[in-house]
Amino acid sequence: MPASPSTARAINDRVALRLLQQEGPLTAGQLKQLTGLSRPTVADLVERLTAAGLIEVVGESGEQRRGPNARLYGIVADRAHLAALDVRTEGVSVVVCDLLGRELARASVPIADDTGTGPAVEQAVTLVERAAKEAGAERLHTVGVGAPGLIDPATGELRDSSGLPEWHRRLVAALQERLPARVIVENETNLAALAEQRDGAARDRDTFVLLWLGHGTGAAVVLDGRLRRGASGGTGEIGFLPVPGTSTLPSATDCEGGFHSLAGSAAIAELAAGHGLVATAVSPGEPEAAALVRQAVATLSSPSSPSASSGADRFLSALADRLAIGAASVVAVLDPGCVVLGGEVGQAGGEVLATRVGERLTRMSPLPVEVRASTLGGGAVLRGALLTARESAQDDLFAPRSR
């Protein structure tokens, strides 16, 4: 059946808004050309969207033509303000943006291990409130939160997870209480995968696995363009994967003895020390392993001595051996065709580490797989949280309204 006039208008409005989001400001003539709609139809939708406060005149086209230049229409960026949070065990980072994703404020706060639950929650919420104020946002429309741990697929809530601070779960409730905003929580590794697919190393891939390598380990699975979370939200808990090369087996409450014991930051630092490497510079909040891997890659490209180059080479080879063990298990089960080495460590290793892991997977698996280095690193979590918040806000604001 043909769409009703109101449904057709809603569809046309949505298409025009998406074009303005993707392409930037456009004239009515450009909207007509890109949508294939008639001139009167475009004129009507421009009038509707302007009256609704969703678009506005942002300038004039620079085209040479008779008469006045055509008006350029753009989305009203401050119609909604968004926040994205990256919640780690050692602190919180936040970025506040407008509806178009333009960054307006950024801040972070460290939270010590011995900080009580209440004070930790207060520090994090205050950080968000201050960032919103700095951005000039009277209120936040949507807040995207990336956190370690399992997200209940039925409720969307962060579940109890052993080894993670209690303030993580309390923070979500506090944000919902203190902020007049929609709060969306997602596993940090899943958000990193969404960001790598949209803006990073997996832009041309509908199916891939992100192997997260930061302070800890994790994996995110994207199949046929969809993020897969599993029955309990636990898809990608690769730190618990039993692997050779460890002295014990993981348990239901402790990933010690699993892949985490080979590829977590502390394990990589211990491996580096065994090859004579010591991190000379670690950025605040950065895993020590990332600094060590970056230093080893730099040593190979500009060796200071044969012994240093040899140590770096052996370290990266041993690390690639470890990473290939975990990646091979994922490849054998899912056949993703592409593995992205994500997180700070994956980005630090770059093509040097990715190539070595790829070579080992080629020998270990009969399935073809390409290994790529993250282009977003640890920043992928914030980016993914922002993309999720923006998508949710636009779904709400761009939805057809009852007339």
Side-chain angles (χ1 to χ4, degrees), residues 106-343:
R106 178 182 291 261
S108 62
V109 61
I111 296 180
D113 292 339
D114 58 355
T115 304
T117 298
V121 170
E122 183 61 29
Q123 286 182 50
V125 176
T126 299
L127 179 77
V128 178
E129 291 174 335
R130 288 176 178 170
K133 184 176 181 180
E134 180 185 340
E138 294 184 4
R139 65 180 297 272
L140 294 172
H141 183 283
T142 306
V143 178
V145 181
L150 304 181
I151 308 299
D152 190 321
T155 64
E157 296 179 352
L158 187 64
R159 294 169 51 188
D160 276 320
S161 298
S162 60
L164 294 177
E166 171 64 21
W167 64 265
H168 281 195
R169 295 188 74 250
R170 291 278 300 277
L171 173 59
V172 174
L175 288 170
Q176 292 170 331
E177 292 172 3
R178 294 263 290 266
L179 303 176
R182 176 184 303 168
V183 179
I184 303 171
V185 187
E186 180 57 272
N187 173 266
E188 58 179 356
T189 307
N190 288 344
L191 290 178
L194 292 176
E196 292 286 358
Q197 186 181 34
R198 184 78 64 86
D199 300 326
R203 280 175 290 185
D204 61 338
R205 290 283 182 169
D206 288 331
T207 296
F208 71 98
V209 167
L210 174 81
L211 190 61
W212 179 264
L213 304 168
H215 287 286
T217 59
V221 178
V222 177
L223 301 177
D224 300 323
R226 292 182 57 194
L227 184 67
R228 307 293 177 162
R229 296 176 175 83
S232 64
T235 295
E237 287 295 313
I238 198 172
F240 287 86
L241 180 72
V243 292
T246 62
S247 59
T248 184
L249 289 173
S251 69
T253 58
D254 190 353
C255 60
E256 187 66 31
F259 182 62
H260 174 83
S261 295
L262 294 183
S265 181
I268 295 175
E270 184 179 353
L271 177 67
H275 288 85
L277 275 72
V278 178
T280 56
V282 181
S283 302
E286 179 185 48
E288 183 183 6
L292 287 162
V293 170
R294 185 171 55 249
Q295 185 174 311
V297 171
T299 299
L300 283 184
S301 62
S302 300
S304 57
S305 68
S307 61
S309 178
S310 176
D313 181 69
R314 292 196 306 271
F315 163 62
L316 291 172
S317 292
L319 177 58
D321 288 339
R322 292 185 173 193
L323 299 182
I325 290 174
S329 299
V330 174
V331 170
V333 174
L334 298 175
D335 186 19
C338 178
V339 173
V340 176
L341 302 183

Side-chain angles (χ1 to χ4, degrees), residues 357-403:
V357 175
E359 290 170 349
R360 285 154 177 79
L361 284 180
T362 298
R363 296 195 296 267
M364 296 170 67
S365 173
L367 304 176
V369 59
E370 180 183 3
V371 180
R372 300 178 178 179
S374 165
T375 60
L376 301 176
V381 178
L382 266 181
R383 182 61 182 163
L386 175 59
L387 289 170
T388 299
R390 191 175 73 177
E391 191 74 22
S392 176
Q394 290 178 346
D395 282 344
D396 176 51
L397 295 171
F398 296 175
R401 306 298 179 184
S402 58
R403 299 178 65 88

